[in-house]
Amino acid sequence: ADLVGIDVLFVDNCNNGGYGAEYLSRLADIQAAVNAGMVLIIHDRFVDNAESILPGGATFDIRRDFADSANINVRDNTTIVTSGGPGGSINDATLDGGCSSSHGFAVASSLPAGAKLILSRGNANEIVTFSYSYGAGSVIYSSIPLDFYLAGFNCGNVPGAFKNIYAPNVIAYGASLTAPCDSFK
């Protein structure tokens, strides 16, 4: 009942060591809400075992890895995340050089057919941010530790890029995936 009427649920896992008990205890409710049309946006520091918290994610291969963590490239330039969003555009250099710009990746071939593979690391098969449909809703998942950058930390070569460009764009993208309101027809 707490999720009724929510079009977009934005979750930021700021724990490097796991997932919160409150979130874990509501996985079935979140999955049902996404299946019914809600958009779930997750930014995840932990990354390990993300398959278990994503609706329909049991077959995904998502890995915590810092080998290429300061390199984020655009893999799909057709979404608001990278092009035409309220924060501006993202290119292959926009999000590079941060303090662990990503905490891991999803293996591209493990993601569902039709998934949007939006951002990758240097290896284009190591997906940092992706979206996919689940029932009537959608999921956007990212291994970017967005909480760090939203808190105002600007380390490396990306002062403000995550907070001022990426974050507004990913929220706008999530909103664009919701069903249009009848009142606006």
Side-chain angles (χ1 to χ4, degrees):
D2 294 343
L3 298 174
V4 172
I6 294 176
D7 292 325
V8 178
L9 177 63
F10 189 97
V11 177
D12 202 351
N13 178 34
C14 17
N15 185 341
N16 281 308
Y19 300 108
E22 183 178 356
Y23 185 80
L24 292 174
S25 70
R26 301 296 301 275
L27 285 177
D29 297 329
I30 292 166
Q31 181 171 318
V34 172
N35 192 49
M38 185 179 79
V39 175
L40 173 63
I41 301 172
I42 299 179
H43 284 85
D44 186 10
R45 274 181 177 252
F46 182 51
V47 182
D48 258 353
N49 207 23
E51 301 90 333
S52 70
I53 65 156
L54 294 173
T59 61
F60 300 176
D61 183 359
I62 303 176
R63 304 173 185 178
R64 183 173 170 92
D65 180 271
F66 293 91
D68 191 22
S69 67
N71 184 13
I72 296 179
N73 292 330
V74 174
R75 170 140 176 193
D76 181 342
N77 200 31
T78 67
T79 72
I80 297 171
V81 174
T82 59
S83 180
S89 294
I90 293 174
N91 62 42
D92 286 349
T94 306
L95 304 175
D96 288 353
C99 299
S100 297
S101 297
S102 72
H103 280 207
F105 61 89
V107 175
S109 61
S110 74
L111 299 176
K116 290 277 194 179
L117 311 180
I118 302 167
L119 299 173
S120 69
R121 293 161 69 141
N123 178 338
N125 293 313
E126 295 178 354
I127 308 303
V128 171
T129 302
F130 63 92
S131 67
Y132 62 98
S133 297
Y134 183 80
S138 298
V139 177
I140 301 167
Y141 177 84
S142 183
S143 63
I144 293 172
L146 192 56
D147 64 290
F148 179 81
Y149 296 104
L150 292 178
F153 296 104
N154 288 321
C155 64
N157 298 324
V158 292
F162 287 99
K163 182 177 182 179
N164 300 321
I165 301 171
Y166 172 78
N169 288 3
V170 81
I171 291 169
Y173 178 56
S176 79
L177 298 176
T178 64
C181 297
D182 291 332
S183 62
F184 293 112
K185 288 184 177 178

